[in-house]
Amino acid sequence: MKDERLTERSVDMKDIKIAARGVQVYYGDTHAIKDVDVEIQDKTVTAFIGPSGCGKSTFLRCLNRMNDTIDSARVEGDIRLDGEDIYDPRVDPVQLRARVGMVFQKPNPFPKSIYDNVAYGPKIHGMARNKADLDDIVERALRRAALWDEAKDRLQAPGTGLSGGQQQRLCIARAVATEPEVLLMDEPCSALDPIATDQVENLIHELRQNYSVVIVTHSMQQAARVSQKTAFFHLGHLVEYGETGQIFTNPRDTRTESYITGRIG
Amino acid sequence: MTDAQADGRPEGRPANSILTPTRRMKRRKAAEKRFKLYGMIAVTVGILALVFLLTSILGRGLSAFEQTMVEIPVELPAETLDPEGNRDPAEMQRVTTFSYAPLVADALADVIAAEAIEIEGLEPSDLGGFISQEAAAQLRNFVLANPEAVGTTLEAELLAGGRIDGYMKGRVTMETAALDSNVSVEQLRLADALEEAGYLKTSFNWDFITAPDASDQRPEAAGLGVAILGSFYMMIVVLVLALPIGVAASIYLEEFAPKNRLTDIIEVNISNLAAVPSIVFGILGLAIFINFMGLPQSAPIVGGLVLTLMTLPTIIIATRAALKAVPPSIRDAALGVGASKMQSVFHHVLPLAMPGILTGTIIGLAQALGETAPLLLIGMVAFVREYPDAPPEGFFDPASALPVQVYNWTQRADPAFVERASGAIIVLLVFLVLMNTVAVILRRRLERRW
Ligand SMILES: Nc1ncnc2c1ncn2[C@@H]1O[C@H](COP(=O)(O)OP(=O)(O)O)[C@@H](O)[C@H]1O
Ligand SMILES: [Mg+2]
């Protein structure tokens, strides 16, 4: 599977990882996402920006079917991961989520040790044959999340005892430990201080080498810093989607312009 | 008004020193003080009631844990106890307690003669009532168990009669004895004399905890053994049935069941069930388990089943509350790394909910342990002197239960049973305190992990 992708990449560096077409999301009678089309490229950081309540999180949660857990939520339309419909009845969302990982807005480590937090995903997916394997995976994930140096001496300490920034990096380590192909991040820095934010942003740069990253962010500076593609949502519509540079310097839609110049939001 | 003033003419306001409280502040302070006072009064009333309850129960019941014994040598003549002379317990079985009673009376008479105790007006019939009727039965049991003792003189420790025991504990006095047809003043004098001579002694009453119940005439021999065993068996049944069923039902309802009309109705009904009077569960148990399913009356299995029905709503409500209290972010986190619903529940949600579940379960068990009304309806109030067998057969043997034993004893005429009933309440309270302690310890253990 990996080899396949490698050969594909050599043909087209920017092939499409996720393609969404005509996506509608309803919460009961509320129409939260209105007819959104978007193509998310592989090995790219895509930022979703827009005012609060415009549906960024809702749309993000469609991409790994986390909305299935909300009883009132109803998703229509067509979302494809590598060309396969993720809402096909034959798809097991559990299997999908192993390939499309997620980091949440509020750091939510399990009330277990740092080690167990990171090892949990690989364990349930049977990714390690023995303890040494698992140790390896945990170390690699923690290194990638830039948490190894701080955590290596206290792997058995509770993850909930870390600082907010460390907790979020632990959650990122937990997400990357299962080797997902796409990583969804919903405002991962909103609870973090500038230093921790900087670390997470560096991390996102790292992750782009291997994954496709979709990040919801409130901060336009952050979107500009980390992403190559930006999607601007407004009242449930995808208003504009394009190269980040173009969106920020030369928006085509007046709503986008108003938002990035601070007039709406 | 103060606000308007503040907005309107700020310089007109009195010098705004924080050293002098404003009128508004004073009123708020006073309200706060009053509220605190109400709270303290409520707590004090509660504590006083508790102290009163405990002192009254302890005052009446503690003496049940002591028992007056008469230590005298009893001759065991071979000719009456073993007429065949072959020491065969099967043969000796034919000699009834009636033949043993005179031996006890004779022994007492011998001691009186030997010690040269002179009591005016002491009738020979007084000697019979001085020692418990149970003593003859105990003597017989001893002889049947040790046939070789026949023909010897046994240094016996015999239960004193209930009134004599009461006299030693101060419950019976010369004045009350004069009015009491069951005891004479002369018997009390004899007790004084025997105590002086060292034949009466008071010791810890293990029999109260281990012995079975005794008839109305023998309060001194009545014990809680069968009741404790019966209660214990019922708790096992409740724990084994109610905990898994309750937790499984809660997990299903809380985590898996679709939220629709049907589950709403189920939810409302479970809450209602928790409020159903326990006697209704007793009637239900009588109809279903005894009349329909044909299970035996007075059996711990039936009591356990009825108490399970009663405890289930408590456990389900507590468990669902505990599951609800687990933050949804933990479920999201588990699902986000690709755990299945089942894995997220069993690996993450359930361990976090465990302290709450255990607390709910133990509270439910404690309720069940103290429950009386439903057990009366299924015949657990019967007079049972046989210990139930070891489980599992024992679950089907007749038994009693602690709270029912309390009820039972308070119904009896002899005032000595008031002491026994209070003693039984103390035992029940000790068990409840133990269970609550276990709950607290378990909760601390499980919570302290993080
Ligand atoms: N669980 C939910 N139930 C009902 N409505 C929801 C739920 N989650 C979000 N919404 C609604 O959907 C809209 C989009 O919300 P969201 O995706 O959280 O916005 P954003 O992340 O862009 O701030 C909002 O109007 C919000 O009120
Ligand atoms: Mg959001």
XYZ file of all heavy atoms in Angstrom, chain A residues 98 110 114-131 133-142 144 170 172-180, chain B residues 334 337-339 343 347:
362
model
N -8.876 4.952 11.696
C -7.480 4.551 11.833
C -6.645 5.202 10.733
O -5.454 5.436 10.903
C -7.371 3.032 11.771
N -6.056 10.529 27.597
C -6.717 9.553 28.467
C -6.133 9.695 29.867
O -4.951 9.998 30.015
C -6.453 8.125 27.994
C -6.965 7.834 26.622
C -6.137 7.261 25.671
C -8.279 8.108 26.274
C -6.601 6.981 24.404
C -8.750 7.824 25.008
C -7.911 7.266 24.063
N 1.527 8.498 30.117
C 1.930 9.044 28.823
C 2.141 7.900 27.834
O 1.651 7.928 26.701
C 3.224 9.869 28.992
C 2.932 11.100 29.864
C 3.800 10.261 27.657
C 4.158 11.909 30.214
N 2.837 6.886 28.305
C 3.127 5.741 27.449
C 1.836 5.101 26.946
O 1.660 4.871 25.751
C 3.948 4.718 28.242
C 4.383 3.520 27.428
C 5.625 3.487 26.814
C 3.547 2.423 27.269
C 6.020 2.403 26.059
C 3.929 1.330 26.511
C 5.170 1.324 25.909
O 5.553 0.253 25.161
N 0.919 4.848 27.876
C -0.325 4.174 27.494
C -1.160 5.026 26.551
O -1.859 4.508 25.681
C -1.149 3.830 28.735
C -0.534 2.683 29.512
O 0.297 1.966 28.917
O -0.872 2.518 30.697
N -1.091 6.338 26.714
C -1.809 7.223 25.804
C -1.361 6.996 24.370
O -2.179 6.850 23.471
C -1.554 8.683 26.189
C -2.676 9.265 27.006
O -3.713 9.599 26.461
N -2.481 9.362 28.308
N -0.051 6.984 24.184
C 0.477 6.867 22.828
C 0.320 5.434 22.322
O 0.014 5.198 21.161
C 1.949 7.300 22.787
C 2.483 7.228 21.374
C 2.090 8.713 23.329
N 0.482 4.471 23.237
C 0.483 3.071 22.812
C -0.924 2.544 22.533
O -1.074 1.509 21.885
C 1.143 2.206 23.890
N -1.935 3.285 22.991
C -3.290 2.732 22.898
C -3.700 2.420 21.465
O -4.146 1.304 21.166
C -4.310 3.681 23.543
C -5.703 3.117 23.513
C -6.023 2.009 24.286
C -6.670 3.642 22.671
C -7.280 1.459 24.244
C -7.935 3.101 22.618
C -8.241 2.007 23.406
O -9.480 1.456 23.351
N -3.541 3.398 20.565
C -3.941 3.185 19.174
C -3.206 2.012 18.537
O -3.840 1.074 18.041
N -1.861 2.038 18.566
C -1.116 0.915 17.986
C -1.533 -0.430 18.579
O -1.591 -1.430 17.869
C 0.338 1.242 18.355
C 0.366 2.723 18.484
C -0.975 3.118 18.990
N -1.842 -0.441 19.881
C -2.249 -1.699 20.518
C -3.544 -2.217 19.911
O -3.632 -3.374 19.522
C -2.451 -1.469 22.020
C -1.350 -2.046 22.881
C -1.791 -1.975 24.335
C -0.636 -1.622 25.243
N -1.065 -1.040 26.514
N -4.565 -1.360 19.862
C -5.845 -1.886 19.391
C -5.817 -2.188 17.891
O -6.616 -2.981 17.415
C -7.030 -0.945 19.715
C -6.812 0.431 19.102
C -7.258 -0.823 21.202
C -8.014 1.334 19.241
N -4.881 -1.580 17.155
C -4.809 -1.897 15.741
C -3.788 -2.998 15.457
O -3.524 -3.313 14.304
C -4.442 -0.641 14.936
C -5.487 0.418 15.014
N -6.794 0.198 14.638
C -5.459 1.697 15.446
C -7.500 1.300 14.832
N -6.713 2.220 15.336
N -3.225 -3.556 16.535
C -2.287 -4.666 16.358
C -1.050 -4.281 15.571
O -0.560 -5.050 14.750
N -0.533 -3.071 15.798
C 0.601 -2.612 15.001
C 1.938 -3.066 15.559
O 2.957 -2.953 14.868
C 0.583 -1.077 14.912
C -0.550 -0.563 14.056
S -0.799 1.194 14.247
C 0.753 1.837 13.691
N 1.951 -3.548 16.803
C 3.222 -3.962 17.393
C 3.167 -5.450 17.681
O 2.170 -5.951 18.184
C 3.475 -3.190 18.683
N 4.252 -6.124 17.346
C 4.269 -7.569 17.597
C 4.709 -7.869 19.020
O 4.368 -8.876 19.587
C 5.195 -8.267 16.609
C 4.459 -8.860 15.409
C 5.415 -9.084 14.280
N 6.082 -7.827 13.966
C 7.341 -7.739 13.551
N 8.071 -8.810 13.431
N 7.873 -6.559 13.295
N 5.517 -6.988 19.595
C 5.974 -7.230 20.963
C 6.235 -5.909 21.663
O 6.073 -4.837 21.086
C 7.234 -8.094 20.952
C 8.280 -7.529 20.000
O 8.460 -6.310 19.960
N 8.933 -8.389 19.253
N 6.665 -6.021 22.899
C 6.866 -4.831 23.727
C 7.911 -3.896 23.120
O 7.743 -2.677 23.114
C 7.306 -5.300 25.124
C 7.589 -4.194 26.114
C 6.308 -3.735 26.792
C 6.601 -2.788 27.950
N 7.073 -1.479 27.540
N 8.725 -3.496 19.999
C 8.085 -2.819 18.870
C 7.282 -1.621 19.346
O 7.366 -0.523 18.799
C 7.096 -3.790 18.206
C 7.665 -4.343 16.913
O 8.866 -4.119 16.682
O 6.907 -4.977 16.174
N 6.491 -1.899 20.385
C 5.588 -0.877 20.903
C 6.398 0.284 21.476
O 6.088 1.459 21.233
C 4.692 -1.495 21.980
C 3.447 -0.706 22.350
C 2.563 -0.496 21.136
C 2.655 -1.437 23.426
N 7.459 -0.053 22.214
C 8.329 0.994 22.763
C 8.846 1.886 21.640
O 8.878 3.107 21.747
C 9.519 0.367 23.501
C 9.097 -0.282 24.806
O 7.941 -0.064 25.216
O 9.918 -1.001 25.395
N 9.236 1.227 20.544
C 9.738 1.938 19.370
C 8.705 2.910 18.827
O 9.002 4.082 18.569
C 10.025 0.907 18.272
C 11.509 0.749 18.074
O 12.243 1.106 19.023
O 11.902 0.279 16.997
N 7.498 2.375 18.642
C 6.419 3.201 18.080
C 6.160 4.396 18.975
O 6.030 5.535 18.504
C 5.135 2.351 17.925
C 5.338 1.293 16.843
C 3.947 3.239 17.601
C 4.189 0.335 16.697
N 6.120 4.134 20.297
C 5.831 5.212 21.240
C 6.924 6.276 21.156
O 6.647 7.470 21.079
C 5.702 4.659 22.675
C 5.665 5.789 23.682
C 4.460 3.793 22.804
N 8.175 5.816 21.122
C 9.266 6.790 21.068
C 9.196 7.623 19.790
O 9.315 8.846 19.809
C 10.624 6.076 21.158
C 11.753 7.080 21.051
C 13.128 6.461 21.283
O 13.200 5.337 21.798
O 14.120 7.129 20.947
N 8.951 6.943 18.666
C 8.894 7.646 17.393
C 7.773 8.699 17.410
O 7.963 9.834 17.000
C 8.661 6.658 16.262
C 9.385 7.071 15.000
C 9.666 5.881 14.084
N 9.135 4.656 14.631
C 8.394 3.771 13.953
N 8.101 3.979 12.729
N 7.965 2.673 14.520
N 6.616 8.286 17.916
C 5.474 9.208 17.927
C 5.777 10.404 18.822
O 5.493 11.549 18.467
C 4.226 8.484 18.406
N 6.378 10.144 19.983
C 6.674 11.244 20.900
C 7.736 12.169 20.309
O 7.678 13.389 20.468
C 7.125 10.700 22.254
C 5.996 10.134 23.131
C 6.563 9.450 24.362
C 5.040 11.239 23.553
N 8.202 12.733 17.113
C 7.553 13.502 16.067
C 6.732 14.642 16.653
O 6.619 15.703 16.062
C 6.597 12.600 15.312
C 7.218 11.992 14.094
C 6.066 11.414 13.406
N 6.407 10.722 12.214
C 5.639 9.748 11.753
N 4.583 9.362 12.432
N 5.928 9.175 10.633
N 0.914 15.611 23.293
C 0.686 14.190 23.575
C -0.461 13.669 22.708
O -0.405 12.560 22.169
C 0.367 14.008 25.068
C 0.045 12.578 25.503
C 1.227 11.650 25.231
C -0.311 12.528 26.978
N -1.307 14.791 19.870
C -0.815 14.683 18.496
C 0.024 13.412 18.353
O -0.126 12.657 17.387
C 0.004 15.940 18.122
C -0.937 17.152 18.076
C 0.698 15.749 16.785
C -0.241 18.481 17.923
N 0.855 13.150 19.365
C 1.657 11.921 19.337
C 0.744 10.705 19.283
O 0.985 9.752 18.536
C 2.546 11.858 20.575
N -0.322 10.759 20.067
C -1.271 9.649 20.089
C -1.894 9.464 18.706
O -2.095 8.349 18.244
C -2.359 9.954 21.128
C -3.393 8.886 21.268
C -4.364 9.237 22.366
N -5.165 10.410 22.022
C -5.930 11.067 22.891
N -5.985 10.676 24.144
N -6.627 12.107 22.510
N -2.197 10.605 18.048
C -2.827 10.506 16.733
C -1.842 9.982 15.691
O -2.201 9.156 14.861
C -3.381 11.859 16.315
N -0.578 10.453 15.741
C 0.357 10.014 14.698
C 0.866 8.598 14.959
O 1.353 7.944 14.042
C 1.555 10.977 14.521
C 1.074 12.339 14.112
C 2.406 11.026 15.772
N 0.727 8.114 16.192
C 1.231 6.777 16.513
C 0.538 5.707 15.685
O 1.117 4.652 15.416
C 1.052 6.487 18.001
N -0.689 5.950 15.282
C -1.410 4.944 14.491
C -1.128 5.087 12.993
O -1.752 4.408 12.198
C -2.927 5.051 14.720
O -3.318 6.402 14.467
C -3.317 4.683 16.122
N -0.175 5.967 12.629
C 0.207 6.165 11.237
C -0.989 6.461 10.344
O -1.248 5.750 9.368
C 0.922 4.908 10.689
C 2.176 4.529 11.440
C 3.374 5.424 11.107
O 3.288 6.152 10.098
O 4.350 5.392 11.858
N -1.732 7.514 10.647
C -2.852 7.843 9.763
C -2.323 8.465 8.477
O -1.175 8.893 8.413
C -3.651 8.857 10.580
C -2.633 9.533 11.424
C -1.566 8.515 11.712
N -11.006 8.336 22.176
C -10.879 6.913 21.865
C -11.343 6.639 20.435
O -10.653 5.962 19.662
C -11.684 6.085 22.862
N -8.837 7.731 17.678
C -7.690 6.909 17.304
C -8.143 5.569 16.739
O -7.336 4.670 16.568
C -6.714 6.651 18.474
C -6.055 7.937 18.893
C -7.416 5.989 19.635
N -9.430 5.457 16.475
C -9.903 4.254 15.805
C -10.328 3.133 16.731
O -10.297 1.971 16.348
N -10.714 3.482 17.959
C -11.279 2.462 18.832
C -12.743 2.262 18.438
O -13.401 3.207 17.986
C -11.194 2.893 20.285
N -14.769 -0.746 22.492
C -13.452 -0.523 23.094
C -13.425 0.788 23.861
O -12.857 0.866 24.943
C -12.370 -0.516 22.005
C -12.066 -1.908 21.481
C -11.188 -1.880 20.247
O -11.282 -0.983 19.418
N -10.334 -2.872 20.107
N -12.532 0.228 27.604
C -11.170 0.633 27.942
C -11.108 1.969 28.675
O -10.203 2.203 29.452
C -10.305 0.743 26.680
C -10.096 -0.568 25.989
N -9.548 -0.683 24.745
C -10.387 -1.832 26.380
C -9.501 -1.956 24.393
N -10.005 -2.673 25.372
